[in-house]
Amino acid sequence: MGWVAVGAVTLGIFSIVTTEILPIGLLTKIGSGFSVSDGMAGLMMTMPGLLAAVSAPVVTVATARVDRRLMLCVFMLLLALANFLAAVAPGYWLVLLSRVVVGVVIGGFWSIGAGLPERLVPKESVGRATSVIFSAVPLGSVLGLPAGTLIADLSGWRTAFVVMGALTAGVLAMLVLVVPPLPPGRTTRLSVLRGMLKGVNTRCALLLTFLVVLAHFGTYTYVTPFLEQVTGAGSRLITVFLLVYGAAGIVGNFLGGAMVVRCPRLTFGLAGAMIAAVTLSLPVLGRWQIGAVALLIVWGAAYGAVPVSSQTWFAKAAPDSPEAASVLFTASFQATFSLGALAGGVVVDRTSPSTVMTLGGLAATLMVPAVWAHFVRRISWPDRT
C-alpha cells in the first residue's frame, strides 16, 4: 500500500498545483469577464502564495498533534469547496476569496505531503518517491493547465473550476481509502523552525529558492499575455505551447530528481541558469512561434528540476526534521511565488510582457554566483544525508 499511498499524495499535489496555476491559462478570460487588467487578474496567483507562506508554519505547528492523514483529507475538502466557490463567484472579490482558501490548502498539504515519502516507502526508495510526488508539479502544467484552458475555451472558465472541484473530491475519496493512519512523528514546533534558520545550508536554500522562484513566477505568470501580444499566438495554439512546456517539465523533474541526490549544486545552479537564458532570449526569439516553443521546452525542463532540487536541499540541511524542512520549503517557495506574480503584474501593467521576461532573466542570473559561492566555500551537509 505504500506506493499506492504515494500515488494518492501525488494526485493531491497535482490537484493543488493545477488549481493554483489554472489562472495562468485563464488570466485574460477571467480578467475580461470581470473587467480587470492583466496585472489585477494576476492577484489570483499572488493571493494563494501569500496565504500559503503564512499557513505553512502556522497550520503545521497548530495541527502538529493531529493525524497527518486526517489533515490531508481536510485540506482536499477545502480545495474542492474553493474550486466550486470560484465557479459560481458573481464578482471578482469572491474569486480572490476562493484563492485565499487555496493558499491555506497549499501551505498545509505541501508541508505535510512533501515530507511523507520516508513514512510511506522503504528508506532506499525515498528519493524515487520524492521525485514521484514532485512530478505532480510539471504534470499540473502538462495535463492540468492545458486541460483547464481547453475546457475554458469550449465551455467557459467557470466550467474549468467545476471540473477541478470534482477531481479534487475524487482525490479526497482516494486519500481516505489508501493512505494509512499517520500519527505525528517528531512534533514540528516554531523553535525547531527557528533553529533550522541558523544553519548556513538552510539560509543558502532560502536564497536560491527566492531567486529562481521569483524569476520563474514573475515571468511565467504572464506567459499567456506574452504569447498573445508578442508571439501572436491564438488561444488554441497557446494551449499546445503550454502542453509542450509541461511535457518538458516532467522530463526535467525526473532528470533533476536523479541528479540532485549526487550533484545538488550543479542541478540547482543549472536549472537557474537555463531559466535565465530562456527568459532573456524570449523577447528576441519569442517573436516567432518556432522560437517561442523551443524556448518553452528548455524552460519546462529547467523548471521541472526546481521544486525537487529546492526540497532536497532543505531536506539535506535538516535530515532529522523532514516535516520542518518541508514547512520552510513550502513557505519560502510560496512567498516568493506570490512576490514574483505581484512584481510581474506591476511591471506588465506599466511596461510590457517582454520587459517582464528580461527582468526575470536578470533575477535568475543572480542564482548562478550564489551556487558557486556555496561550492567555493566547501560547505557540506550533515553526515546523515
Side-chain angles (χ1 to χ4, degrees):
M1 290 290 285
W3 280 103
V4 178
V6 169
V9 175
T10 301
L11 287 174
I13 297 289
F14 172 80
S15 300
I16 290 171
V17 169
T18 302
T19 299
E20 184 175 21
I21 67 175
L22 190 57
I24 292 176
L26 311 182
L27 198 71
T28 53
K29 292 181 176 65
I30 296 176
S32 62
F34 291 110
S35 300
V36 299
S37 68
D38 288 344
M40 181 64 70
L43 288 176
M44 291 183 290
M45 298 296 290
T46 302
M47 294 293 290
L50 286 175
L51 268 296
V54 174
S55 66
V58 172
V59 173
T60 307
V61 171
T63 64
R65 299 184 183 280
V66 180
D67 186 279
R68 308 330 265 160
R69 180 182 67 171
L70 174 61
M71 292 310 305
L72 294 180
C73 293
V74 169
F75 291 131
M76 277 296 101
L77 176 61
L78 289 175
L79 186 65
L81 294 176
N83 277 301
F84 290 133
L85 178 61
V88 301
Y92 185 57
W93 68 271
L94 202 54
V95 175
L96 292 183
L97 179 60
S98 75
R99 303 300 287 175
V100 169
V101 178
V102 171
V104 174
V105 171
I106 296 168
F109 196 103
W110 272 57
S111 294
I112 295 172
L116 286 181
E118 67 176 32
R119 301 187 63 182
L120 297 175
V121 298
K123 183 177 180 180
E124 62 272 14
S125 301
V126 169
R128 189 164 74 253
T130 301
S131 291
V132 169
I133 286 177
F134 278 98
S135 70
V137 178
L139 277 173
S141 296
V142 72
L143 296 178
L145 181 54
T149 305
L150 178 61
I151 291 169
D153 287 340
L154 297 175
S155 304
W157 64 265
R158 294 180 186 274
T159 305
F161 281 105
V162 171
V163 172
M164 276 309 307
L167 173 64
T168 304
V171 175
L172 169 59
M174 187 175 180
L175 287 170
V176 172
L177 293 173
V178 305
V179 176
L182 296 168
R186 179 178 178 182
T187 305
T188 301
R189 302 181 184 276
L190 290 177
S191 58
V192 175
L193 298 176
R194 286 194 297 268
M196 286 182 59
L197 291 174
K198 297 177 181 179
V200 64
N201 285 306
T202 300
R203 293 198 298 268
C204 188
L206 288 169
L207 173 62
L208 298 178
T209 300
F210 171 79
L211 291 173
V212 72
V213 176
L214 179 73
H216 174 75
F217 284 104
T219 52
Y220 187 65
T221 301
Y222 304 97
V223 71
T224 296
F226 179 90
L227 293 173
E228 289 177 343
Q229 299 172 29
V230 180
T231 309
S235 60
R236 297 292 176 87
L237 187 57
I238 290 174
T239 300
V240 174
F241 281 5
L242 295 178
L243 180 65
V244 170
Y245 165 91
I250 293 176
V251 176
N253 171 78
F254 284 103
L255 286 178
M259 290 175 58
V260 74
V261 176
R262 300 188 302 272
C263 310
R265 298 181 182 92
L266 175 63
T267 305
F268 213 179
L270 184 60
M274 290 169 65
I275 290 174
V278 167
T279 49
L280 288 173
S281 300
L282 265 173
V284 178
L285 301 179
R287 298 175 183 273
W288 299 277
Q289 293 179 2
I290 187 65
V293 73
L295 290 173
L296 283 171
I297 290 172
V298 178
W299 193 351
Y303 180 69
V306 167
V308 68
S309 295
S310 178
Q311 166 67 14
T312 299
W313 200 303
F314 277 105
K316 287 172 73 66
D320 294 321
S321 306
E323 187 168 281
S326 294
V327 168
L328 288 183
F329 161 72
T330 303
S332 61
F333 200 97
Q334 294 297 328
T336 313
F337 181 132
S338 63
L339 289 175
L342 179 62
V346 172
V347 174
V348 80
D349 276 352
R350 286 166 172 73
T351 57
S352 68
S354 292
T355 302
V356 170
M357 297 297 166
T358 301
L359 293 177
L362 294 175
T365 302
L366 296 175
M367 183 183 171
V368 177
V371 173
W372 180 251
H374 189 275
F375 174 77
V376 169
R377 292 177 62 187
R378 299 183 181 277
I379 300 172
S380 60
W381 282 276
D383 292 339
R384 274 198 58 189
T385 62

